[in-house]
Amino acid sequence: MDLPRSFTIREGDLRILNPYSPEKLATLGQVIRLRPGMSMLDLACGKGEMLCTWARDHGIRGTGVDISTAFLEAARARAAALGVADRVGFVHADAATFVADEPVDLATCIGATWIGGGVTGTLDVLDRSLRPGGMLLVGEPYWRLDPPDQETVEACYARSKDEFQSLPDLVRLFGDRGWDLVEMVLANQDSWDRYAAAHWLNLRTWLDDNPEDELAAELRRELTDDPARYVRYVREYLGWGVFALIKR
């Protein structure tokens, strides 16, 4: 059980594996009012940057879960570098079925709602590990503009227009599922740019170093096509944010 190697190549040495800047990640930790000793479960945690920096900055403790062995290795190294390895741990497991040993104060899934088959299912997955009155964080794309055709939809990583919501519809969905939206921190086009463009440099650097690799042709096509697709479609049509929810 692991992610395809192309994921680790594309992400390279990035620490935040979504369209967030370090400043936005720090803002999120501040506005949800983290306190020392709070417990956190981060499903599909990637390289663990959120858990590690919040443990350092706010004194929380917690567990990150991911299927990528490479990402988890980076997460453990980051925890050691920040001096928080005694407060955070990382587990190689399927986030879709993982349940915390004890209910947590904060359960999160940032940019990986595929673990529950979409937003609704992921709320249920997270809720299994949440204490009564605890908080969920969900990171999810949304339509900034209504996509005019299927070409735009597919260029924005969706199979159908219904795979993502508009921001008002996403907020309404949370309420319909019985959750109060109590905070949100949204990415902007600049933070999208930083994330997308970092992939291009990672791909080019890897291709220069590995021209004969079996993945070279596939990743060469991606690097050729992705910048134009991103500026034409993703940058204009797709938003992204993290939403803090407490059950009614």
Side-chain angles (χ1 to χ4, degrees):
M1 181 175 59
D2 212 333
L3 285 177
R5 190 159 55 98
S6 59
F7 281 76
T8 60
I9 295 168
R10 190 179 298 112
E11 300 295 348
D13 60 357
L14 290 175
R15 290 176 175 162
I16 301 174
L17 310 186
N18 56 60
Y20 245 17
S21 65
E23 292 77 17
K24 285 186 177 293
L25 187 61
T27 295
L28 179 62
Q30 294 164 3
V31 298
I32 63 172
R33 305 176 188 175
L34 295 173
R35 301 181 305 278
M38 289 180 70
S39 58
M40 174 175 164
L41 174 67
D42 188 12
L43 296 180
C45 67
K47 296 183 183 180
E49 186 71 1
M50 182 168 68
L51 183 55
C52 290
T53 56
W54 286 359
R56 176 196 63 190
D57 297 341
H58 301 282
I60 68 166
R61 56 186 174 83
T63 300
V65 179
D66 207 278
I67 64 170
S68 170
T69 54
F71 290 170
L72 291 173
E73 181 180 354
R76 294 183 182 107
R78 184 62 167 157
L82 295 183
V84 297
D86 60 331
R87 297 202 299 278
V88 302
F90 296 95
V91 178
H92 182 239
D94 182 359
T97 59
F98 189 90
V99 179
D101 293 337
E102 298 180 358
V104 297
D105 300 308
L106 180 66
T108 70
C109 178
I110 308 301
T113 56
W114 49 264
I115 70 169
V119 174
T120 297
T122 300
L123 295 178
D124 294 337
V125 170
L126 291 169
D127 194 26
R128 295 196 303 246
S129 295
L130 193 67
R131 68 163 177 80
M135 180 183 291
L136 300 188
L137 297 181
V138 176
E140 178 70 1
Y142 59 87
W143 295 118
R144 291 182 64 245
L145 301 172
D146 190 41
D149 49 39
Q150 184 63 17
E151 179 181 2
T152 303
V153 168
E154 293 180 4
C156 292
Y157 315 111
R159 290 162 294 186
S160 72
K161 179 180 174 180
D162 295 339
E163 192 163 337
F164 303 139
Q165 309 283 328
S166 69
L167 186 56
D169 286 344
L170 184 57
V171 170
R172 188 175 303 113
L173 182 152
F174 296 144
D176 289 345
R177 297 296 297 177
W179 295 87
D180 285 327
L181 176 63
V182 296
E183 260 295 355
M184 66 180 189
V185 178
L186 305 183
N188 56 27
Q189 287 179 308
D190 180 67
S191 54
W192 259 120
D193 292 348
R194 298 281 50 76
Y195 184 52
H199 287 165
W200 307 333
L201 183 55
N202 288 339
L203 290 172
R204 178 52 196 263
T205 300
W206 183 87
L207 285 166
D208 287 347
D209 292 340
N210 301 275
E212 305 301 323
D213 191 280
E214 63 182 1
L215 291 178
E218 172 190 338
L219 296 183
R220 175 67 261 178
R221 288 191 297 272
E222 179 177 336
L223 179 56
T224 298
D225 297 341
D226 194 67
R229 180 186 59 81
Y230 170 75
V231 299
R232 169 66 179 85
Y233 297 107
V234 177
R235 195 176 194 274
E236 299 304 315
Y237 287 92
L238 201 61
W240 194 89
V242 179
F243 304 89
L245 310 170
I246 299 176
K247 183 171 281 189
R248 291 174 183 163

